[in-house]
């Protein structure tokens, strides 16, 4: 199975376009909310593609080298998961010239761009659905959707009963992928944006598209246009069926997020937390396990800082673990500066560009992890070996690549812990000095053992 070569070396940054940066106020909607207003379901705040270009130096300074954008196609919402035209940039975000400029800036700086493919459902403004509403039973697009009865009522209160909607929402009509015309349309969409230079697709709820054969054709279309394009699936559970030669390269690894959250909060047994994490490493083929999108935050989750009660040590511990695991680590915009937020829409607040509001210690820490990861091939491509796990909060593993070894040592307890680990099989020699890249502290291998004193609610990266 061919996996894009760059994914294991990637550090992703997820951007919710309306809330990242406003680079061109001329394309703002007339009812735009002031930047930084409490987020609402319907309230635009003016973020756009020019804003991303304008702030690209910020992203490069942080060190990321891949961006995942939530939907940018024309739609009637801030989140744009209800597309009305898959071939157009939403005018509140800019136009095709802005998009081309963004791709040019990204690629000139060796940054990959992945777009959100929301193919399962559309908005009520999508051409085929508006035709269905207008012409009802006489519409040539009737078979584009799952119509239960006529006439269709798309706007009265309540769930969608006349047709299938995503999770019953009338505002999100579900496509009928048994119709070859629907499949053809989305394969054209797929190829169009790849030809414009994107480096991959993140697929929204792909498991809810009932015609699985579509994904085989999708995969072939992607590989014909760009063999190095990344296919990322939004699958919330552990599911190896979605990573094979006919589906995705990697998945948004929410089980790892859950395991990391449980570990740093200390709310469950350490063994259970780590088993959740390790299951995604050993339970998938190696190539796919190393191509997972590793996250602790997204537009669909509460902010990690909020979930751990604004405990900076726990957030740093989570990143120490996340960046040490196989796969491509991801930062949700603003998490690196300590932004807070509850459930949607609160997790989609506008980025705080006033640096006085930043948690600079956290941003510097994330930046350091990115720098170290780029510097150490073992951190990106090394095999995973668990070295220690105990119910007192200690969790230590190694990443080994050839003669290079990185040891990631973690402690989720509120007290310092002294541990001793066997390092004979890691190729380390007696008297060898290992340095913690996070603190600068040094430790000496004694015989076959390495004795470490782990900080409370903290970790080390040793090599």
């Amino acid at each position: 199975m061919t996996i894009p070569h760059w994914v294991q070396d990637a550090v992703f940054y997820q951007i919710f376009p309306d809330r990242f940066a406003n680079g061109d106020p001329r394309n703002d909607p007339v009812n735009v909310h002031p930047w930084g207003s409490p987020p609402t379901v319907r309230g635009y705040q003016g973020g756009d593609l020019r804003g991303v270009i304008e702030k690209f130096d910020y992203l490069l300074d942080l060190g990321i080298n891949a961006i995942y954008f939530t939907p940018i196609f024309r739609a009637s919402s801030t989140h744009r998961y209800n597309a009305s035209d898959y071939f157009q940039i939403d005018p509140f975000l800019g136009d095709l010239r802005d998009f081309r400029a963004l791709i040019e800036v990204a690629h000139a700086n060796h940054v990959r761009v992945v777009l959100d493919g929301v193919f399962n459902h559309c908005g009520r403004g999508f051409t085929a659905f508006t035709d269905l509403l207008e012409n009802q039973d006489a519409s040539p697009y009737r078979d584009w959707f799952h119509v239960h009865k006529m006439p269709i009522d798309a706007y009265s209160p309540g769930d969608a009963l006349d047709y299938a909607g995503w999770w019953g929402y009338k505002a999100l009509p579900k496509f009928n992928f048994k119709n070859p015309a629907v499949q053809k349309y989305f394969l054209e969409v797929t190829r169009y944006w790849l030809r414009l230079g994107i480096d991959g697709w993140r697929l929204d709820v792909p498991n809810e598209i009932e015609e699985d054969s579509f994904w085989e054709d999708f995969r072939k279309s992607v590989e014909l246009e760009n063999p190095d394009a990344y296919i990322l699936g939004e699958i919330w559970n552990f599911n190896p069926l979605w990573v094979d030669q006919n589906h995705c390269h990697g998945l948004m690894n929410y089980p790892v997020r859950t395991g990391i959250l449980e570990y740093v909060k200390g709310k469950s047994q350490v063994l259970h937390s780590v088993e959740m994490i390790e299951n995604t490493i050993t339970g998938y083929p190696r190539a796919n396990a190393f191509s997972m999108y590793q996250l602790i935050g997204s537009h669909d989750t509460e902010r990690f800082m909020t979930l751990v009660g604004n405990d900076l040590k726990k957030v740093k511990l989570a990143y120490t673990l996340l960046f040490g695991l196989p796969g491509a680590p991801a930062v949700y915009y603003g998490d690196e500066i300590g932004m807070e937020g509850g459930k949607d829409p609160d997790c989609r607040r506008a980025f705080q560009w006033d640096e006085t509001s930043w948690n600079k210690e956290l941003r510097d820490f994330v930046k350091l992890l990115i720098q170290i990861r780029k510097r150490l091939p073992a951190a990106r491509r090394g095999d995973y070996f668990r070295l220690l796990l105990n119910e007192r909060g200690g969790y230590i593993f190694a990443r080994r690549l050839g003669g290079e070894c990185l040891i990631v040592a973690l402690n989720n307890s509120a007290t310092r812990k002294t541990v001793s680990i066997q390092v004979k099989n890691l190729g380390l020699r007696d008297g060898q000095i290992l340095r913690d890249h996070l603190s600068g502290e040094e430790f000496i291998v004694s015989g076959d053992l390495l004795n470490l004193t782990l900080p409370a609610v903290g970790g080390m990266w040793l090599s």
Side-chain angles (χ1 to χ4, degrees):
M1 181 188 303
T2 302
I3 302 289
H5 65 90
W6 57 269
V7 176
Q8 292 183 63
D9 300 320
V11 178
F12 275 92
Y13 193 84
Q14 183 190 350
I15 292 178
F16 189 87
D18 184 64
R19 307 289 161 75
F20 183 63
N22 188 345
D24 186 0
R26 293 173 300 178
N27 60 32
D28 291 354
V30 295
N31 60 344
V32 65
H33 291 195
W35 191 259
S37 299
T40 64
V41 173
R42 298 183 183 276
Y44 292 93
Q45 297 201 26
D48 52 30
L49 300 184
R50 283 287 163 186
V52 180
I53 295 172
E54 183 180 278
K55 300 297 184 182
F56 221 85
D57 284 347
Y58 170 87
L59 300 175
L60 295 176
D61 179 72
L62 185 62
I64 63 95
N65 56 12
I67 300 173
Y68 151 46
F69 285 99
T70 55
I72 63 172
F73 306 138
R74 188 170 194 136
S76 58
S77 66
T78 60
H79 57 74
R80 297 182 174 87
Y81 282 91
N82 59 339
S84 57
D85 190 333
Y86 290 83
F87 288 98
Q88 281 193 45
I89 303 294
D90 192 292
F92 294 149
L93 295 179
D95 57 26
L96 195 56
R97 291 171 301 176
D98 299 315
F99 179 78
R100 290 181 186 275
L102 174 60
I103 292 292
E104 183 178 348
V105 168
H107 287 175
N109 289 284
H110 309 289
V111 174
R112 310 277 178 163
V113 175
V114 172
L115 295 188
D116 209 327
V118 188
F119 302 160
N120 176 70
H121 50 267
C122 61
R124 287 173 293 203
F126 183 71
T127 301
F129 194 75
T130 59
D131 189 284
L132 183 61
L133 291 178
E134 183 70 24
N135 295 303
Q136 295 288 324
D137 215 19
S139 173
Y141 295 100
R142 174 175 176 147
D143 290 340
W144 278 54
F145 304 94
H146 299 270
V147 177
H148 301 321
K149 63 178 182 177
M150 290 288 189
I152 282 180
D153 171 16
Y155 286 97
S156 65
D159 290 341
L161 300 176
D162 308 329
Y163 56 92
W166 181 74
W167 285 29
Y169 289 115
K170 285 186 174 181
L172 299 172
K174 181 176 169 62
F175 285 108
N176 173 21
F177 269 82
K178 293 186 183 298
N179 184 342
V182 172
Q183 296 195 31
K184 180 182 177 182
Y185 174 84
F186 280 107
L187 293 177
E188 290 173 352
V189 170
T190 298
R191 291 188 288 264
Y192 177 78
W193 293 101
L194 286 167
R195 289 168 184 166
L196 285 173
I198 70 169
D199 301 287
W201 284 102
R202 179 266 191 185
L203 303 175
D204 187 67
V205 295
N207 55 319
E208 297 187 29
I209 289 178
E210 70 283 354
E211 199 65 20
D212 190 63
S213 62
F214 168 74
W215 294 119
E216 182 177 353
D217 293 335
F218 171 84
R219 175 82 176 242
K220 290 177 181 176
S221 294
V222 169
E223 291 179 344
L224 283 172
E225 291 297 335
N226 180 0
D228 289 328
Y230 179 44
I231 302 174
L232 170 65
E234 183 204 15
I235 304 292
W236 283 69
N237 61 336
F238 173 78
N239 196 334
L241 295 176
W242 278 93
V243 287
D244 62 24
Q245 61 186 2
N246 295 324
H247 293 88
C248 304
H249 299 118
L251 307 177
M252 296 188 76
N253 208 345
Y254 282 102
V256 155
R257 174 184 175 273
T258 301
I260 292 175
L261 180 62
E262 286 190 4
Y263 176 73
V264 301
K265 292 180 75 171
K267 294 295 185 181
S268 66
Q269 293 185 345
V270 172
L271 179 60
H272 179 261
S273 303
V274 172
E275 283 181 341
M276 290 184 68
I277 294 168
E278 290 186 337
N279 190 41
T280 70
I281 300 172
T282 61
Y284 291 106
R286 186 188 189 280
N288 301 109
F290 279 60
S291 300
M292 292 289 162
Y293 179 99
Q294 308 285 37
L295 72 159
I296 59 172
S298 80
H299 64 293
D300 286 324
T301 65
E302 296 170 74
R303 292 276 183 176
F304 202 85
M305 180 66 81
T306 298
L307 286 171
V308 298
N310 296 295
D311 190 323
L312 178 59
K313 285 188 174 182
K314 290 182 178 179
V315 177
K316 291 172 69 173
L317 179 62
Y319 276 117
T320 304
L321 173 51
L322 179 77
F323 275 81
L325 294 172
V331 178
Y332 178 51
Y333 82 100
D335 275 0
E336 76 279 10
I337 60 170
M339 283 179 61
E340 302 173 43
K343 294 180 179 179
D344 172 25
D346 196 41
C347 59
R348 303 172 182 181
R349 300 181 189 181
F351 192 100
Q352 302 164 349
W353 287 107
D354 178 3
E355 293 188 28
T356 62
S357 67
W358 294 3
N359 188 317
K360 293 186 178 180
E361 179 181 344
L362 177 57
R363 187 184 186 278
D364 288 344
F365 186 74
V366 173
K367 181 176 176 178
L368 175 62
L369 287 172
I370 294 173
Q371 290 173 342
I372 300 168
R373 188 176 183 277
K374 286 182 175 179
R375 199 163 64 238
L376 301 178
R380 307 190 305 276
R381 297 175 174 269
D383 291 329
Y384 171 95
F385 302 92
R386 186 207 292 178
L387 301 178
L388 178 142
L389 182 65
N390 62 48
E391 288 303 333
R392 293 173 297 151
Y395 172 32
I396 303 176
F397 60 89
R399 302 286 309 281
R400 186 176 179 185
L401 182 67
E404 181 185 290
C405 180
L406 169 69
I407 296 174
V408 178
L410 308 157
N411 173 27
N412 75 349
S413 72
T415 57
R416 290 165 61 88
K417 300 291 183 183
T418 299
V419 297
S420 182
I421 55 173
Q422 173 65 248
V423 295
K424 179 180 180 180
N425 294 331
L426 297 179
L428 302 179
R429 63 186 184 279
D430 181 33
Q432 184 172 343
I433 298 175
L434 299 181
R435 185 174 67 88
D436 174 22
H437 294 274
L438 305 181
S439 69
E441 190 174 359
E442 294 183 344
F443 299 86
I444 301 177
V445 177
S446 178
D448 294 338
L449 298 177
L450 178 63
N451 299 308
L452 300 173
T453 300
L454 303 178
V457 192
M460 299 176 176
W461 275 28
L462 300 146
S463 69

